[in-house]
Amino acid sequence: MTETKQSWREVLRFAIWILPIAAIGGYCSGRYVLLTYTPELRQAILEQIGSAEMFAATTAAQSVIYALIAGVLGYIIAKKIGLLRPFGFHWKELKTTLLITLISGIVLAADYWTFSAAIPNGRDNYEILYKNADNWIASILYGGVVEEVMMRLFVMSLAAWVLWKLAARNKEQIPTGLLIAANVISATLFAAGHLPSAASMYDGLSPLIVTRIMLLNGVFGLFFGWLYRTKGIQYAMVAHAGTHIVSKLIWLLWA
């Protein structure tokens, strides 16, 4: 088998693995996100889409498309620039990942007593976010897997490749500084990508809401990007999904 055929088989296997996760995660995401919208926005969406199930199915289809495009391109770019590592887990790397997961989960859970407590009606959706089964599934599958494929495997890899070609094309390998810059770029975009949903959830954006979104998601994105760069995309996925699980468990126990 030629190297090219082998590479495309690897890409195909990755796509086959990621697509059902994207479909289920996207569907559950659509089901719970609709509940967080204001009544007026929810009614407008349902009038246009037809039903909540159709909205969820549309979200699932979008998730599959995003995951397919980002997964295939990200896999190819990551392999080309040396960021793709063998899939699997090792205890030493997993211990570091679990520590980051625990810290991130505690910080995210603390939002209930900090930022959300200061934002008008900031706690209104916590019953949905932490007791809704669709949200749990979406957080683990869409958040933990699909978002990491899009933002780390694709966006961060692409940013690293572009920076390499622009600033250090004479280097055989991408300098660490450029990989760090690519992580900052992807983390910033990851945080900014949460602003539209926050605007829908809170019926607008305030400086405090923007600060909360950019700070929390941006810092998490930096952690996940570091795991991707140093250990592999699978560790970033574990940390992202685990952060949601830890934060939800803390809220359920103490809120």
Side-chain angles (χ1 to χ4, degrees):
M1 183 184 299
T2 65
E3 184 177 348
T4 301
K5 288 184 177 180
Q6 177 63 28
S7 297
W8 279 108
R9 283 198 173 190
E10 292 175 2
V11 173
L12 180 60
R13 283 198 296 267
F14 182 74
I16 291 173
W17 174 76
I18 204 74
L19 291 183
I21 293 176
I24 297 171
Y27 182 83
C28 292
S29 179
R31 282 174 57 89
Y32 96 82
V33 163
L34 192 61
L35 299 177
T36 67
Y37 290 160
T38 62
E40 295 78 13
L41 179 57
R42 188 183 310 128
Q43 181 62 33
I45 290 174
L46 292 178
E47 289 178 357
Q48 183 177 8
I49 297 294
S51 68
E53 292 303 311
M54 183 59 68
F55 178 79
T58 302
T59 305
Q62 292 174 342
S63 176
V64 167
I65 293 171
Y66 296 154
L68 179 61
I69 296 174
V72 170
L73 294 179
Y75 192 102
I76 294 171
I77 297 171
K79 187 171 184 178
K80 183 178 182 63
I81 64 177
L83 279 180
L84 192 68
R85 287 169 171 76
F87 288 94
F89 295 96
H90 301 282
W91 179 235
K92 181 180 178 181
E93 287 78 7
L94 195 56
K95 284 193 296 184
T96 303
T97 302
L98 293 177
L99 177 60
I100 290 175
T101 299
L102 179 62
I103 295 172
S104 299
I106 292 173
V107 171
L108 182 56
D111 171 69
Y112 180 79
W113 293 276
T114 54
F115 283 108
S116 290
I119 296 173
N121 304 316
R123 291 177 170 178
D124 288 357
N125 287 315
Y126 264 82
E127 290 286 331
I128 298 173
L129 294 176
Y130 289 105
K131 291 185 177 180
N132 182 280
D134 287 317
N135 177 261
W136 276 75
I137 296 172
S139 297
I140 295 170
L141 298 184
Y142 187 85
V145 178
V146 177
E147 286 186 351
E148 288 307 304
V149 167
M150 291 192 296
M151 301 310 303
R152 250 60 65 178
L153 187 65
F154 174 58
V155 172
M156 183 175 164
S157 298
L158 179 62
W161 181 81
V162 171
L163 292 174
W164 182 23
K165 295 304 179 182
L166 290 177
R169 61 188 308 168
N170 59 325
K171 303 285 187 180
E172 292 186 3
Q173 292 183 330
I174 303 178
T176 301
L178 296 185
L179 291 174
I180 294 173
N183 188 12
V184 172
I185 291 171
S186 66
T188 302
L189 293 174
F190 172 66
H194 288 77
L195 291 175
S197 61
S200 299
M201 185 180 298
Y202 296 113
D203 196 20
L205 294 174
S206 68
L208 183 58
I209 293 173
V210 172
T211 300
R212 168 186 177 268
I213 295 295
M214 297 303 295
L215 181 61
L216 287 178
N217 291 284
V219 171
F220 295 152
L222 290 175
F223 280 136
F224 303 152
W226 179 80
L227 286 171
Y228 167 48
R229 177 173 67 86
T230 61
K231 306 183 187 309
I233 190 63
Q234 65 271 32
Y235 293 97
M237 291 176 177
V238 168
H240 194 154
T243 294
H244 287 294
I245 294 172
V246 170
S247 68
K248 293 177 192 301
L249 290 175
I250 291 174
W251 186 86
L252 288 174
L253 290 172
W254 285 291

